[in-house]
Amino acid sequence: MIAVLFDGVAFGLQLSLLAVGLTLIYGLGGVLNLAHGQFAATTAIIGARLIDGGLPVVVSITAAVAMAAGLGAALDVTLMRPVYRLRGEDRVLSSLLVTLGLAFAIDGLLIRFAPFTLLNLVVPGPAIVLFGVPMRRGVVVAALSAAAVLGMLVLVLRGSRWGRAVRSIIQDEEGATLCGIDPARMRRSVFALSGALAGLVAVTQGLTAPIGATSGRDLTVLALIVTVVGGLGRVSGALIAGVLLGVVHAVASYAVGAFVTFVLLLLVAIAVILLRPTGLVRSAV
Amino acid sequence: MLRVERLDVERDGTPVLHAVDLHVADGEVVALIGSNGAGKTTLLRTVCGLLTPTRGEVTVAGRSVVGVPAFELARRGIRYVPAERRLFPALSVRDNLALGAYPARPTRDRYEVVFELFPRLRERRPQAVGTMSGGEQQMVALGRALMSSPRLLLLDEPTTGLAPALAEEAYTVIARLRDAGGLTVLIAEQQVHLALELAARAYVLEGGTVALAGPSTSLRDDPGVRRAYLGFA
């Protein structure tokens, strides 16, 4: 049972990483990105191809994650442009439509051109024993990397000028503008960050199990559930909800079977939304 | 410092301001008075770049501000403090003030200027602004604008939601700023007696046009102003 819990936390930290990217762009732009998981899948494919091409693993992965950041920024300045002309609910809905189209397009392209490419990052060596539970090295490295990136992200958001500006826009965009902050430019940088975070999840997933062209859809759905449960636009909410749902995911797969885990995750999401409509975390950022 | 010429502004297709002429000299404090809906806020929002005029010209220190994005004007030292304050409620007093200096790093000197004016903010540095009283929030809003050493301060009803004693206190602080020199202020106010006491000159907006303008002393004695805004029958 402890092993299941550890697996859940390890997976949950990656879910947090995935959801933070979504929740930040919602906070800054009032939009959602249904191609978020597809950005991760694209990173996995590009990374795997670069490795196959003979580049060192670290270089390949770095390049693939940088490309994911570029994808994020490109989405912000191209397809999202007409979306930003709308306000409130119209903006969210049209962002859903636009990025759903993008998700289908990326899924189609990846399956057409790289159906069998997998990113599989094996960490050699014996299992690491934690509290008497043997854990695969890949899983431990994935969990620690996710935790490290999340920790850095929180530090940057809390402590840096850039992070302060990001949080100010989430709380009051007009107020931020009156302080001399350019919301469009900040949003572009956060879109790039969001893409990079999706890319990093592809890497940590690749450390756990092979990840390929068809993984985008599941990752998008998971990211969306975690984001909503944590509260849209709430960074701390995404962190908590990710770990919580990761544990639910692991326990459900262990106790009932993988085929119902999504149903259970959605039930938890529905329960949270019914009890706390604004998500687990109430206060802003 | 500020010059507004033949200004027309529409909001959602409805004309709000028509042929407004106004100027504020360097270091001058000028009041903008008028009833609700007269166009005071629209005028201030146009000067700071949040609204774009349909006709006319607005220049600050000789440079046109029409079509320049609001964040850019804020960086040039044109600071608008809206009546609803637009603070960051989950951030601390210190972080709110620090953002006022953006994109520069906030200096100790600027913090000192603000804390000298509002000693209470010094004690409340770590407190989240959302948990503070209306009067304290108004101090943060003014302090945030002052963190950037602004050249033109646009204040929109700084006494909104404040008890009379606190409103007077706010004006005492603004008067201190005026006397310290170097700051140009255009202040919109419904509490006309306070505004006329502070400002050397005033403009009266009615239905989107300038109905009356002149030195505060003569406006205070104007029978129309006394009847409409100062509560004399």
Side-chain angles (χ1 to χ4, degrees):
Chain A
M1 198 59 207
I2 294 182
V4 175
L5 210 62
F6 280 174
D7 266 340
V9 172
F11 182 54
L13 286 167
Q14 298 172 60
L15 288 182
S16 302
L17 204 52
L18 200 59
V20 164
L22 268 194
T23 221
L24 276 176
I25 61 166
Y26 181 84
L28 262 85
V31 293
L32 282 164
N33 175 16
L34 291 183
H36 197 56
Q38 277 74 8
F39 284 5
T42 311
T43 311
I45 300 293
I46 304 267
R49 285 289 171 92
L50 290 175
I51 293 170
D52 289 347
L55 279 179
V57 172
V58 176
V59 175
S60 307
I61 286 172
T62 311
V65 171
M67 183 263 345
L71 268 182
L75 171 62
D76 178 59
V77 294
T78 57
L79 291 176
M80 285 301 193
R81 277 197 100 106
V83 172
Y84 296 133
R85 289 199 200 107
L86 305 168
R87 303 256 148 232
E89 215 168 273
D90 288 342
R91 185 187 280 195
V92 185
L93 287 176
S94 63
S95 76
L96 289 174
L97 274 179
V98 165
T99 57
L100 185 63
L102 178 64
F104 284 147
I106 294 178
D107 272 338
L109 284 170
L110 293 183
I111 290 164
R112 166 72 182 75
F113 292 106
F116 307 116
T117 305
L118 291 171
L119 179 68
N120 189 12
L121 303 165
V122 181
V123 185
I128 295 168
V129 180
L130 274 177
F131 300 101
V133 180
M135 299 279 288
R136 283 191 296 131
R137 275 177 184 257
V139 175
V140 175
V141 172
L144 290 179
S145 326
V149 173
L150 287 171
M152 268 182 333
L153 195 64
V154 169
L155 284 182
V156 167
L157 281 173
R158 297 214 153 267
S160 75
R161 224 175 331 168
W162 180 86
R164 236 185 345 238
V166 167
R167 290 194 295 152
S168 76
I169 298 174
I170 294 177
Q171 290 175 46
D172 195 319
E173 184 172 325
E174 187 178 300
T177 307
L178 294 175
C179 288
I181 296 165
D182 179 356
R185 194 168 144 198
M186 294 303 289
R187 193 184 59 219
R188 193 154 66 242
S189 65
V190 165
F191 250 93
L193 173 71
S194 169
L197 291 174
L200 283 171
V201 172
V203 175
T204 61
Q205 280 286 289
L207 286 162
T208 314
I211 163 173
T214 56
S215 50
R217 204 171 322 165
D218 281 2
L219 290 176
T220 293
V221 172
L222 286 167
L224 208 56
I225 296 175
V226 174
T227 305
V228 171
V229 168
L232 286 165
R234 311 275 155 82
V235 172
S236 50
L239 300 184
I240 297 166
V243 175
L244 174 77
L245 290 175
V247 171
V248 171
H249 185 272
V251 170
S253 318
Y254 172 76
V256 205
F259 58 98
V260 286
T261 52
F262 265 95
V263 179
L264 275 171
L265 284 180
L266 280 169
L267 284 177
V268 172
I270 291 167
V272 169
I273 290 163
L274 285 177
L275 295 172
R276 301 188 69 147
T278 53
L280 282 177
V281 175
R282 221 179 282 254
S283 73
V285 233
Chain B
M1 171 62 69
L2 170 66
R3 186 165 285 281
V4 174
E5 284 163 346
R6 311 293 302 162
L7 189 73
D8 285 11
V9 184
E10 293 180 359
R11 286 182 102 163
D12 305 317
T14 321
V16 179
L17 292 180
H18 180 62
V20 171
D21 286 305
L22 174 153
H23 70 96
V24 183
D26 270 11
E28 201 181 15
V29 176
V30 171
L32 198 56
I33 60 186
S35 56
N36 249 336
K40 301 188 298 292
T41 298
T42 300
L43 180 58
L44 295 183
R45 287 175 76 86
T46 308
V47 174
C48 78
L50 287 172
L51 294 172
T52 311
T54 42
R55 267 180 50 201
E57 180 61 287
V58 180
T59 57
V60 174
R63 284 172 84 184
S64 176
V65 305
V66 175
V68 181
F71 76 85
E72 181 61 43
L73 293 179
R75 288 182 188 188
R76 288 190 202 163
I78 302 169
R79 289 287 165 141
Y80 171 52
V81 182
E84 66 275 20
R85 302 184 188 113
R86 296 280 182 183
L87 295 169
F88 312 117
L91 298 188
S92 66
V93 169
R94 203 192 168 82
D95 279 351
N96 269 274
L97 293 179
L99 280 158
Y102 191 92
R105 203 174 286 281
T107 63
R108 195 164 289 275
D109 290 2
R110 286 320 292 178
Y111 278 124
E112 273 312 308
V113 168
V114 173
F115 291 149
E116 284 278 300
L117 284 170
F118 307 107
R120 213 170 323 170
L121 295 187
R122 193 196 299 271
E123 300 155 26
R124 302 288 174 89
R125 267 169 303 179
Q127 192 175 340
V129 161
T131 64
M132 300 174 93
S133 72
E136 290 165 337
Q137 291 195 12
Q138 188 56 50
M139 294 176 195
V140 179
L142 258 173
R144 188 177 73 176
L146 292 173
M147 284 298 287
S148 65
S149 342
R151 55 206 304 192
L152 174 62
L153 203 52
L154 306 163
L155 303 179
D156 197 356
E157 310 217 353
T159 56
T160 303
L162 299 191
L166 280 175
E168 301 229 5
E169 205 184 306
Y171 267 83
T172 313
V173 170
I174 301 168
R176 273 172 65 196
L177 278 176
R178 175 197 59 190
D179 299 338
L183 197 58
T184 310
V185 183
L186 179 60
I187 181 165
E189 188 54 84
Q190 291 208 50
Q191 308 220 30
V192 175
H193 62 285
L194 287 175
L196 290 183
E197 217 165 281
L198 175 82
R201 289 191 303 120
Y203 290 82
V204 181
L205 274 185
E206 263 171 30
T209 58
V210 176
L212 210 60
S216 299
T217 42
S218 60
L219 285 179
R220 237 190 320 243
D221 299 330
D222 182 272
V225 171
R226 284 169 72 87
R227 198 167 38 243
Y229 303 110
L230 291 173
F232 292 102

